[in-house]
Amino acid sequence: MAHSIITVATMKGGSGKSTLASCLAVHWQLHGRRSAILDADPQCTIARLATREKALGGVAVIEDATDDAYKAAQRLVGSYDTVIIDTPGFRSQATLACLGVTDFVLVPVKPSPFDVDRMLDTLNVLINGVSGRRPMFRCVLTQTTRDSVIAKHIRSELAEAGFPVLDSEMTNRVVYAEAALWGATPTLLDKKGPAAREIAAIADEVEQICQSMSHVNRAAIA
Ligand SMILES: Nc1ncnc2c1ncn2[C@@H]1O[C@H](COP(=O)(O)OP(=O)(O)OP(=O)(O)O)[C@@H](O)[C@H]1O
Ligand SMILES: [Mg+2]
């Protein structure tokens, strides 16, 4: 997964984009991949997080919510192994342009029909292609309650509609918000804790997909 740009996007606000983006960046940083977050949300959630005590474990955070944010991502990916773009919870030109340069898109969705409906707008943008190309994407269920009927239902509804969903999910845990109080993620506070393990599982799944994708691309070029 060398030098990848990963965008976390959905036009549904509050679905866990910034939490997921910061958790993945810290996880990869702690596992030896130099990680940067491009904060393309004018709310600057992640840039503010990075000013707190734990400073996201040294992950570089660059703020750019302008229409040129995608250019900043392209520059950063030369110096970092992974650039994660956090986007706002509404339609923005910055997000659309970032999707055009991204290798992989994660679409977080809370298991509720209201959230799914709004998220479908994002998926339609992806499926119709941005700047003539369609980035690889996966939905990821967030703030789930383990073994809940609604999460299983939404998972199978998405799969049936042809929207791929990661097997791993982010369950609802107060430690995500608590860690943020210190400018941290659960992985920084307890590397072996349950939240850190679920983030590791999401990160591993994303890495596997990106790796298999790069094999396919290489085969296509050969
Ligand atoms: N897995 C989780 N368990 C518990 N709380 C969570 C979880 N993920 C996110 N949250 C909380 O839900 C709220 C919204 O999360 P977050 O800010 O990451 O969403 P967002 O999609 O970035 O929102 P916005 O669209 O406003 O940028 C925050 O208070 C966050 O702490
Ligand atoms: Mg956010």
Side-chain angles (χ1 to χ4, degrees), residues 10-61:
T10 168
M11 289 169 212
K12 177 76 180 90
S15 50
K17 291 178 293 295
S18 302
T19 307
L20 181 59
S22 55
C23 287
L24 285 175
V26 168
H27 169 87
W28 278 316
Q29 178 92 355
L30 288 178
H31 287 79
R33 293 182 59 81
R34 282 168 308 142
S35 302
I37 299 176
L38 178 70
D39 189 348
D41 181 355
Q43 287 188 100
C44 322
T45 308
I46 294 195
R48 286 185 213 191
L49 209 57
T51 63
R52 293 179 177 244
E53 194 179 326
K54 299 274 184 188
L56 288 177
V59 167
V61 177

